[in-house]
């Protein structure tokens, strides 16, 4: 091989190494794409649809996320728009109308106690800490007389809303 060919071969080899190094350093992205927000639904166990003054109805819930992220927090709030009563987290505080309360677990129970013998309606909203579309459901209870012997068991009245990942 001639000296000029060796020199051009060396230059080409060095340039190839530099280009390979630059390409390998710029093509990698060290940022991990970690999904934090997952859509979720809330399952509600069936419950009675009639209530008398002073009676308490237990509502059982379970949050079902489509994925698992350890730092997801859920809050609950409610808005009562018909009737008068109190809604309390079992082993937790009495909820204040439209105030958010942190849920300690994905399974929880609420006790609704009627203050009057009339129809009762309230909306329960569960939200996560990522601003996903909240889950909502309306609960309706008709007043009943003491002569009513049984209440009808009902399921969800409003179809739950599934959040969309943004």
């Amino acid at each position: 091989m001639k000296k000029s060919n060796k020199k051009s071969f060396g230059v080409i080899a060095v340039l190839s190494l530099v280009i390979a190094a630059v390409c390998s350093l710029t093509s990698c992205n060290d940022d991990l794409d970690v999904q934090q927000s997952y859509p979720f639904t809330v399952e509600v166990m069936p419950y009675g649809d009639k209530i008398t003054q002073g009676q308490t109805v237990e509502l059982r819930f379970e949050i079902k996320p489509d994925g698992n992220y350890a730092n997801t927090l859920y809050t609950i709030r409610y808005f009562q728009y018909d009737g008068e009563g109190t809604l309390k987290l079992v082993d937790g505080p009495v909820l204040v109308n439209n105030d958010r309360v942190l849920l300690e677990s994905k399974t929880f129970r609420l006790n609704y106690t009627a203050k009057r013998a009339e129809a009762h309606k309230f909306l329960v909203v569960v939200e996560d800490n990522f601003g996903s579309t909240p889950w909502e459901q309306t609960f309706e209870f008709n007043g009943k007389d003491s002569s009513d012997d049984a209440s009808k068991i009902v399921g969800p009245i409003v179809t739950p809303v599934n959040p969309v990942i943004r």
Side-chain angles (χ1 to χ4, degrees):
M1 226 187 220
K2 292 185 176 182
K3 199 172 192 177
S4 64
N5 285 345
K6 285 183 183 180
K7 189 174 183 181
S8 0
F9 179 73
V11 171
I12 291 173
V14 170
L15 282 174
S16 296
L17 287 174
V18 169
I19 290 171
V22 169
C23 288
S24 68
L25 292 175
T26 58
S27 66
C28 293
N29 184 353
D30 289 339
D31 294 335
L32 292 176
D33 187 19
V34 177
Q35 183 175 347
Q36 297 174 336
S37 179
Y38 290 97
F40 66 94
T41 59
V42 179
E43 289 184 3
V44 181
M45 293 295 293
Y47 54 91
D49 70 339
K50 295 195 184 269
I51 195 167
T52 61
Q53 182 175 352
Q55 182 182 4
T56 299
V57 173
E58 183 179 73
L59 304 169
R60 295 176 181 234
F61 300 82
E62 184 175 359
I63 298 171
K64 300 275 192 162
D66 287 349
N68 189 17
Y69 180 67
N71 294 327
T72 302
L73 301 174
Y74 295 96
T75 59
I76 188 170
R77 62 188 171 97
Y78 89 107
F79 178 73
Q80 183 154 8
Y81 54 92
D82 199 6
E84 188 177 340
T86 58
L87 192 62
K88 180 185 184 313
L89 276 164
V90 173
D91 301 327
V94 172
L95 301 179
V96 176
N97 208 16
N98 225 12
D99 279 359
R100 284 188 178 89
V101 173
L102 181 66
L103 292 169
E104 301 291 328
S105 172
K106 290 180 186 170
T107 58
F108 58 97
R109 294 176 292 155
L110 295 173
N111 283 339
Y112 180 76
T113 304
K115 289 187 177 180
R116 301 186 189 264
E118 58 190 11
H120 300 264
K121 291 182 186 178
F122 55 89
L123 175 72
V124 173
V125 180
V126 176
E127 298 168 292
D128 68 11
N129 57 323
F130 296 107
S132 298
T133 303
W135 174 89
E136 300 177 345
Q137 183 172 322
T138 298
F139 292 87
E140 297 181 32
F141 300 98
N142 294 318
K144 71 175 182 177
D145 298 330
S146 57
S147 62
D148 290 347
D149 55 350
S151 66
K152 183 174 109 183
I153 301 296
V154 297
I157 295 169
V158 174
T159 304
V161 175
N162 293 328
V164 176
I165 298 173
R166 295 179 201 179

